Amino acid sequence: MIPAMDLHLLRSPPGVRFFRRHPSPAPLRRRFFTVSSILPFAKEKAKYHIELEAAVELVERACSLCIDVQRSLLSDGRILEKNDQTPVTVADFGVQALVSLELGKLFPSIPLVAEEDSVSAVSDKTSFHEESFSHADVLEAIDRGERTEFGTKPATYWILDPIDGTRGFVKGSKALYVVGLSLVVEGEIMLGVMGCPNWVVDTSHRSITGVQGYKNSSPGLGIIMVAHVGCGTWTKRLRHMLDSSFKPSSDWTRCFVDGCSLVHKANFCIPDSQAWESLPLSVFYDATTNDNDDIRDKEICLLPFCCGSLCKYLMVASGGASVFILEVKPERVTKAWDHAAGMICVHEAGGKVTDWEGSELYLAADQVKRRIIYPAGGVLVTNGKIHQQIVEMISSSSTVVRH
């Protein structure tokens, strides 16, 4: 349910307006180069810069909401189970309501495709005593992401994953989770924004490290990643509105995928729910979590990251991983919101995303709802340099005798 006490989290702070500027202290890292502005590139280069500015602001606000909710979630136990037995929290519903309400006001003609619906959000007759958002307003906003129907023609719509990695979210600060928002225009992803509130920035440029032991409110945590078609992929430190001691930065750093050109030298990510031994590349390589310096022959480095798909896209786009590989399970459907924002971030960083046969992921395969995609075999996300080689290895794996 969404208790009345939590509804205030959906309200904008007094005086807050979209697209405001912030002070620009020195950037945390200068891996490539930085730009200080609301967006990391000139507006005339980005056809959908207005939509991107709104998306950045909303994802940052959504991340702040998640941080706030997480602080009390575990003690209150407000966790439900969805039909696929994955957890859903007040934060999932809160983020979806927040984003849906604001997008509905800013871009009323653009529908929203999103994960949650209000059926499980209201298990009682909780009253809402807020002037800004009534009970009906919130439920309407949540359901807006579920009820949209399309046809066979290319469509324009937002795709939202309110929290990708809810299992990680409910574990507390020791696991990664991502808020993902993207815009599809006439069937093509034009922009994507991902916010990860507990992403630990590693000054050695390995992107994240030592997630365990950090607190969500630490100023060393959190990034937001944005991409616009033709404009590249960029990150900056996430603005923590709940921590008054943290001075936000408006400095953007451009991201590129890593330069690895040898499969056995690549850093791999896989879903936490899948074992390396179940994947086709396991017939060629064993997996180890040792550093590359300690990798033996016939081994690859497997990076131990937490729940959700979008944080793995974030890893590949930022150069922290070379490959993210996911197998499609017959009993589970593949949802568009688990991939859309990550896809454009990887593409604009120089990487590649396909199914296991090398075909692009087709967002319009679900002609009615645009909620489900059907990748053949699974999803393959790489730095592009070793993509075709891995596709060929997957194809030939069934004929290879396990080493």
Side-chain angles (χ1 to χ4, degrees):
M1 70 184 74
I2 305 180
M5 63 176 290
D6 292 313
L7 202 58
H8 74 281
L9 297 171
L10 308 183
R11 304 180 66 180
S12 301
V16 170
R17 298 182 62 190
F18 282 99
F19 323 141
R20 64 185 183 274
R21 294 183 179 273
H22 304 282
S24 301
L28 183 66
R29 63 185 187 132
R30 297 182 181 274
R31 182 177 176 186
F32 297 105
F33 54 87
T34 59
V35 176
S36 181
S37 66
I38 298 175
L39 292 182
F41 36 76
K43 292 181 179 180
E44 57 267 20
K45 294 183 178 180
K47 182 176 181 179
Y48 301 98
H49 66 88
I50 295 176
E51 290 84 352
L52 183 57
E53 287 177 341
V56 169
E57 174 71 19
L58 280 173
V59 169
E60 288 193 323
R61 287 170 56 189
C63 288
S64 291
L65 186 155
C66 290
I67 294 168
D68 196 23
V69 171
Q70 192 181 51
R71 287 171 175 164
S72 61
L73 178 66
L74 298 180
S75 60
D76 292 342
R78 291 195 295 273
I79 303 171
L80 306 174
E81 287 283 327
K82 293 186 281 190
N83 291 334
D84 60 359
Q85 282 69 60
T86 58
V88 60
T89 71
V90 65
D92 293 89
F93 294 122
V95 168
Q96 187 154 318
L98 165 68
V99 174
S100 178
L101 285 163
E102 294 291 356
L103 290 180
K105 290 189 294 184
L106 291 168
F107 312 103
S109 64
I110 304 178
L112 173 69
V113 173
E115 184 167 12
E116 313 302 348
D117 63 69
S118 65
V119 173
S120 54
V122 282
S123 56
D124 62 15
K125 300 296 185 181
T126 303
S127 297
F128 295 87
H129 304 290
E130 298 286 344
E131 295 180 2
S132 296
F133 301 105
S134 68
H135 187 186
D137 289 335
V138 173
L139 300 187
E140 172 77 10
I142 295 172
D143 279 340
R144 178 175 173 240
E146 194 278 336
R147 66 169 184 264
T148 303
E149 294 190 359
F150 301 88
T152 58
K153 295 181 178 180
T156 296
Y157 52 96
W158 294 98
I159 300 179
L160 169 69
D161 194 337
I163 298 180
D164 183 63
T166 306
R167 289 196 186 280
F169 177 81
V170 299
K171 291 177 183 177
S173 62
K174 294 183 179 181
L176 299 177
Y177 63 94
V178 171
V179 178
L181 181 62
S182 57
L183 176 65
V184 177
V185 178
E186 298 299 315
E188 300 292 333
I189 306 174
M190 292 291 111
L191 63 88
V193 181
M194 295 190 288
C196 185
N198 57 350
W199 184 276
V200 182
V201 182
D202 181 356
T203 54
S204 68
H205 302 162
R206 287 179 61 86
S207 293
I208 68 170
T209 186
V211 174
Q212 284 73 13
Y214 286 86
K215 295 181 180 180
N216 278 351
S217 59
S218 167
L221 298 173
I223 65 169
I224 188 165
M225 175 176 282
V226 306
H228 184 290
V229 65
C231 297
T233 298
W234 303 73
T235 61
K236 71 171 182 176
R237 291 281 294 280
L238 185 65
R239 183 176 73 243
H240 290 267
M241 288 185 288
L242 300 181
D243 187 350
S244 59
S245 65
F246 177 64
K247 295 181 179 180
S249 171
S250 294
D251 287 342
W252 293 93
T253 301
R254 186 156 187 184
C255 294
F256 297 95
V257 294
D258 71 14
C260 180
S261 58
L262 300 172
V263 174
H264 69 279
K265 294 291 186 180
N267 291 321
F268 282 75
C269 294
I270 64 173
D272 61 302
S273 60
Q274 296 182 7
W276 176 257
E277 291 73 21
S278 69
L279 299 173
L281 293 188
S282 65
V283 304
F284 302 100
Y285 304 104
D286 292 324
T288 178
T289 56
N290 294 331
D291 290 333
N292 266 325
D293 293 341
D294 299 323
I295 298 294
R296 299 177 298 180
D297 290 342
K298 301 295 183 179
E299 281 187 341
I300 58 91
C301 178
L302 191 61
L303 301 177
F305 293 108
C306 301
C307 308
S309 295
L310 289 181
C311 71
K312 278 88 166 180
Y313 278 95
L314 211 159
M315 279 297 298
V316 175
S318 63
S322 313
V323 181
F324 167 41
I325 183 169
L326 174 152
E327 182 179 15
V328 172
K329 298 291 187 179
E331 67 275 13
R332 296 286 296 273
V333 294
T334 305
K335 302 296 181 62
W337 47 76
D338 289 330
H339 300 273
M343 288 166 60
I344 187 168
C345 287
V346 168
H347 281 302
E348 288 295 315
K352 191 169 184 178
V353 182
T354 70
D355 63 20
W356 282 9
E357 295 180 355
S359 300
E360 292 186 3
L361 304 188
Y362 184 45
L363 293 179
D366 176 6
Q367 294 184 354
V368 177
K369 295 283 190 177
R370 297 294 198 276
R371 296 166 66 85
I372 302 173
I373 58 177
Y374 301 94
V379 177
L380 179 62
V381 183
T382 77
N383 62 9
K385 300 173 182 64
I386 55 178
H387 197 95
Q388 187 56 36
Q389 186 179 351
I390 294 178
V391 169
E392 292 171 0
M393 293 175 75
I394 292 172
S395 177
S396 65
S397 63
S398 61
T399 63
V400 174
V401 176
R402 186 174 294 272
H403 62 275

PDB file of all heavy atoms in Angstrom, residues 33-50:
ATOM      1  N   PHE A  33      36.791  14.072 -20.146  1.00  0.00           N
ATOM      2  CA  PHE A  33      36.718  15.520 -20.008  1.00  0.00           C
ATOM      3  C   PHE A  33      35.364  15.855 -19.426  1.00  0.00           C
ATOM      4  O   PHE A  33      34.453  15.041 -19.414  1.00  0.00           O
ATOM      5  CB  PHE A  33      36.911  16.226 -21.353  1.00  0.00           C
ATOM      6  CG  PHE A  33      35.985  15.766 -22.432  1.00  0.00           C
ATOM      7  CD1 PHE A  33      34.734  16.334 -22.591  1.00  0.00           C
ATOM      8  CD2 PHE A  33      36.372  14.750 -23.308  1.00  0.00           C
ATOM      9  CE1 PHE A  33      33.883  15.911 -23.591  1.00  0.00           C
ATOM     10  CE2 PHE A  33      35.519  14.321 -24.319  1.00  0.00           C
ATOM     11  CZ  PHE A  33      34.279  14.906 -24.453  1.00  0.00           C
ATOM     12  N   THR A  34      35.237  17.068 -18.895  1.00  0.00           N
ATOM     13  CA  THR A  34      34.015  17.440 -18.204  1.00  0.00           C
ATOM     14  C   THR A  34      33.422  18.703 -18.786  1.00  0.00           C
ATOM     15  O   THR A  34      34.108  19.532 -19.380  1.00  0.00           O
ATOM     16  CB  THR A  34      34.267  17.661 -16.708  1.00  0.00           C
ATOM     17  OG1 THR A  34      35.233  18.694 -16.562  1.00  0.00           O
ATOM     18  CG2 THR A  34      34.756  16.405 -16.039  1.00  0.00           C
ATOM     19  N   VAL A  35      32.122  18.841 -18.600  1.00  0.00           N
ATOM     20  CA  VAL A  35      31.392  20.031 -19.037  1.00  0.00           C
ATOM     21  C   VAL A  35      30.461  20.416 -17.897  1.00  0.00           C
ATOM     22  O   VAL A  35      29.825  19.558 -17.294  1.00  0.00           O
ATOM     23  CB  VAL A  35      30.559  19.745 -20.310  1.00  0.00           C
ATOM     24  CG1 VAL A  35      29.728  20.965 -20.683  1.00  0.00           C
ATOM     25  CG2 VAL A  35      31.468  19.342 -21.452  1.00  0.00           C
ATOM     26  N   SER A  36      30.386  21.686 -17.570  1.00  0.00           N
ATOM     27  CA  SER A  36      29.566  22.144 -16.461  1.00  0.00           C
ATOM     28  C   SER A  36      28.332  22.866 -16.986  1.00  0.00           C
ATOM     29  O   SER A  36      28.423  23.956 -17.526  1.00  0.00           O
ATOM     30  CB  SER A  36      30.370  23.071 -15.550  1.00  0.00           C
ATOM     31  OG  SER A  36      29.573  23.488 -14.454  1.00  0.00           O
ATOM     32  N   SER A  37      27.167  22.238 -16.862  1.00  0.00           N
ATOM     33  CA  SER A  37      25.915  22.846 -17.302  1.00  0.00           C
ATOM     34  C   SER A  37      24.774  21.949 -16.883  1.00  0.00           C
ATOM     35  O   SER A  37      24.961  20.876 -16.318  1.00  0.00           O
ATOM     36  CB  SER A  37      25.894  23.018 -18.823  1.00  0.00           C
ATOM     37  OG  SER A  37      25.880  21.757 -19.462  1.00  0.00           O
ATOM     38  N   ILE A  38      23.539  22.398 -17.168  1.00  0.00           N
ATOM     39  CA  ILE A  38      22.382  21.563 -16.882  1.00  0.00           C
ATOM     40  C   ILE A  38      22.471  20.274 -17.678  1.00  0.00           C
ATOM     41  O   ILE A  38      22.244  19.192 -17.158  1.00  0.00           O
ATOM     42  CB  ILE A  38      21.084  22.323 -17.216  1.00  0.00           C
ATOM     43  CG1 ILE A  38      20.964  23.572 -16.336  1.00  0.00           C
ATOM     44  CG2 ILE A  38      19.870  21.426 -17.032  1.00  0.00           C
ATOM     45  CD1 ILE A  38      19.787  24.440 -16.685  1.00  0.00           C
ATOM     46  N   LEU A  39      22.776  20.387 -18.962  1.00  0.00           N
ATOM     47  CA  LEU A  39      23.042  19.234 -19.810  1.00  0.00           C
ATOM     48  C   LEU A  39      24.512  19.251 -20.210  1.00  0.00           C
ATOM     49  O   LEU A  39      25.135  20.307 -20.250  1.00  0.00           O
ATOM     50  CB  LEU A  39      22.160  19.260 -21.060  1.00  0.00           C
ATOM     51  CG  LEU A  39      20.661  19.058 -20.846  1.00  0.00           C
ATOM     52  CD1 LEU A  39      19.942  19.069 -22.194  1.00  0.00           C
ATOM     53  CD2 LEU A  39      20.360  17.765 -20.099  1.00  0.00           C
ATOM     54  N   PRO A  40      25.066  18.099 -20.536  1.00  0.00           N
ATOM     55  CA  PRO A  40      26.497  18.041 -20.853  1.00  0.00           C
ATOM     56  C   PRO A  40      26.843  18.436 -22.282  1.00  0.00           C
ATOM     57  O   PRO A  40      27.989  18.310 -22.692  1.00  0.00           O
ATOM     58  CB  PRO A  40      26.830  16.569 -20.602  1.00  0.00           C
ATOM     59  CG  PRO A  40      25.563  15.844 -20.866  1.00  0.00           C
ATOM     60  CD  PRO A  40      24.470  16.764 -20.416  1.00  0.00           C
ATOM     61  N   PHE A  41      25.853  18.883 -23.046  1.00  0.00           N
ATOM     62  CA  PHE A  41      26.121  19.262 -24.438  1.00  0.00           C
ATOM     63  C   PHE A  41      25.189  20.404 -24.815  1.00  0.00           C
ATOM     64  O   PHE A  41      24.198  20.678 -24.135  1.00  0.00           O
ATOM     65  CB  PHE A  41      25.917  18.078 -25.385  1.00  0.00           C
ATOM     66  CG  PHE A  41      24.792  17.164 -24.987  1.00  0.00           C
ATOM     67  CD1 PHE A  41      23.468  17.519 -25.188  1.00  0.00           C
ATOM     68  CD2 PHE A  41      25.067  15.942 -24.394  1.00  0.00           C
ATOM     69  CE1 PHE A  41      22.437  16.676 -24.806  1.00  0.00           C
ATOM     70  CE2 PHE A  41      24.033  15.095 -24.008  1.00  0.00           C
ATOM     71  CZ  PHE A  41      22.719  15.463 -24.215  1.00  0.00           C
ATOM     72  N   ALA A  42      25.529  21.094 -25.882  1.00  0.00           N
ATOM     73  CA  ALA A  42      24.733  22.235 -26.322  1.00  0.00           C
ATOM     74  C   ALA A  42      23.318  21.792 -26.702  1.00  0.00           C
ATOM     75  O   ALA A  42      23.132  20.758 -27.326  1.00  0.00           O
ATOM     76  CB  ALA A  42      25.410  22.909 -27.514  1.00  0.00           C
ATOM     77  N   LYS A  43      22.357  22.601 -26.332  1.00  0.00           N
ATOM     78  CA  LYS A  43      20.967  22.235 -26.576  1.00  0.00           C
ATOM     79  C   LYS A  43      20.657  22.067 -28.054  1.00  0.00           C
ATOM     80  O   LYS A  43      19.844  21.218 -28.435  1.00  0.00           O
ATOM     81  CB  LYS A  43      20.040  23.289 -25.964  1.00  0.00           C
ATOM     82  CG  LYS A  43      20.066  23.329 -24.453  1.00  0.00           C
ATOM     83  CD  LYS A  43      19.099  24.368 -23.915  1.00  0.00           C
ATOM     84  CE  LYS A  43      19.099  24.391 -22.399  1.00  0.00           C
ATOM     85  NZ  LYS A  43      18.151  25.398 -21.847  1.00  0.00           N
ATOM     86  N   GLU A  44      21.322  22.859 -28.885  1.00  0.00           N
ATOM     87  CA  GLU A  44      21.021  22.755 -30.315  1.00  0.00           C
ATOM     88  C   GLU A  44      21.461  21.420 -30.904  1.00  0.00           C
ATOM     89  O   GLU A  44      21.022  21.035 -31.988  1.00  0.00           O
ATOM     90  CB  GLU A  44      21.680  23.900 -31.080  1.00  0.00           C
ATOM     91  CG  GLU A  44      23.181  24.001 -30.922  1.00  0.00           C
ATOM     92  CD  GLU A  44      23.578  24.940 -29.802  1.00  0.00           C
ATOM     93  OE1 GLU A  44      22.728  25.206 -28.911  1.00  0.00           O
ATOM     94  OE2 GLU A  44      24.730  25.415 -29.828  1.00  0.00           O
ATOM     95  N   LYS A  45      22.306  20.668 -30.176  1.00  0.00           N
ATOM     96  CA  LYS A  45      22.729  19.352 -30.647  1.00  0.00           C
ATOM     97  C   LYS A  45      21.747  18.253 -30.258  1.00  0.00           C
ATOM     98  O   LYS A  45      21.817  17.145 -30.785  1.00  0.00           O
ATOM     99  CB  LYS A  45      24.113  19.009 -30.084  1.00  0.00           C
ATOM    100  CG  LYS A  45      25.240  19.895 -30.601  1.00  0.00           C
ATOM    101  CD  LYS A  45      26.578  19.439 -30.057  1.00  0.00           C
ATOM    102  CE  LYS A  45      27.709  20.286 -30.605  1.00  0.00           C
ATOM    103  NZ  LYS A  45      29.028  19.836 -30.072  1.00  0.00           N
ATOM    104  N   ALA A  46      20.869  18.555 -29.333  1.00  0.00           N
ATOM    105  CA  ALA A  46      19.940  17.553 -28.803  1.00  0.00           C
ATOM    106  C   ALA A  46      18.506  17.953 -29.126  1.00  0.00           C
ATOM    107  O   ALA A  46      17.970  18.893 -28.538  1.00  0.00           O
ATOM    108  CB  ALA A  46      20.127  17.407 -27.291  1.00  0.00           C
ATOM    109  N   LYS A  47      17.905  17.261 -30.041  1.00  0.00           N
ATOM    110  CA  LYS A  47      16.546  17.580 -30.466  1.00  0.00           C
ATOM    111  C   LYS A  47      15.565  17.514 -29.307  1.00  0.00           C
ATOM    112  O   LYS A  47      14.608  18.288 -29.233  1.00  0.00           O
ATOM    113  CB  LYS A  47      16.117  16.629 -31.588  1.00  0.00           C
ATOM    114  CG  LYS A  47      14.731  16.908 -32.139  1.00  0.00           C
ATOM    115  CD  LYS A  47      14.410  15.987 -33.304  1.00  0.00           C
ATOM    116  CE  LYS A  47      13.016  16.283 -33.874  1.00  0.00           C
ATOM    117  NZ  LYS A  47      12.709  15.395 -35.021  1.00  0.00           N
ATOM    118  N   TYR A  48      15.813  16.601 -28.388  1.00  0.00           N
ATOM    119  CA  TYR A  48      14.882  16.392 -27.276  1.00  0.00           C
ATOM    120  C   TYR A  48      15.494  16.876 -25.959  1.00  0.00           C
ATOM    121  O   TYR A  48      15.355  16.227 -24.925  1.00  0.00           O
ATOM    122  CB  TYR A  48      14.491  14.917 -27.211  1.00  0.00           C
ATOM    123  CG  TYR A  48      13.848  14.433 -28.490  1.00  0.00           C
ATOM    124  CD1 TYR A  48      14.592  13.753 -29.454  1.00  0.00           C
ATOM    125  CD2 TYR A  48      12.513  14.712 -28.764  1.00  0.00           C
ATOM    126  CE1 TYR A  48      14.012  13.345 -30.642  1.00  0.00           C
ATOM    127  CE2 TYR A  48      11.925  14.316 -29.953  1.00  0.00           C
ATOM    128  CZ  TYR A  48      12.682  13.632 -30.895  1.00  0.00           C
ATOM    129  OH  TYR A  48      12.107  13.242 -32.073  1.00  0.00           O
ATOM    130  N   HIS A  49      16.145  18.043 -26.013  1.00  0.00           N
ATOM    131  CA  HIS A  49      16.824  18.536 -24.816  1.00  0.00           C
ATOM    132  C   HIS A  49      15.830  18.914 -23.721  1.00  0.00           C
ATOM    133  O   HIS A  49      16.123  18.748 -22.528  1.00  0.00           O
ATOM    134  CB  HIS A  49      17.726  19.729 -25.154  1.00  0.00           C
ATOM    135  CG  HIS A  49      17.003  20.950 -25.614  1.00  0.00           C
ATOM    136  ND1 HIS A  49      16.536  21.899 -24.746  1.00  0.00           N
ATOM    137  CD2 HIS A  49      16.669  21.371 -26.864  1.00  0.00           C
ATOM    138  CE1 HIS A  49      15.945  22.859 -25.431  1.00  0.00           C
ATOM    139  NE2 HIS A  49      16.010  22.567 -26.711  1.00  0.00           N
ATOM    140  N   ILE A  50      14.656  19.390 -24.069  1.00  0.00           N
ATOM    141  CA  ILE A  50      13.660  19.739 -23.051  1.00  0.00           C
ATOM    142  C   ILE A  50      13.215  18.489 -22.308  1.00  0.00           C
ATOM    143  O   ILE A  50      13.129  18.458 -21.074  1.00  0.00           O
ATOM    144  CB  ILE A  50      12.453  20.451 -23.689  1.00  0.00           C
ATOM    145  CG1 ILE A  50      12.884  21.796 -24.262  1.00  0.00           C
ATOM    146  CG2 ILE A  50      11.334  20.643 -22.660  1.00  0.00           C
ATOM    147  CD1 ILE A  50      11.775  22.528 -25.001  1.00  0.00           C
TER     148      ILE A  50
END
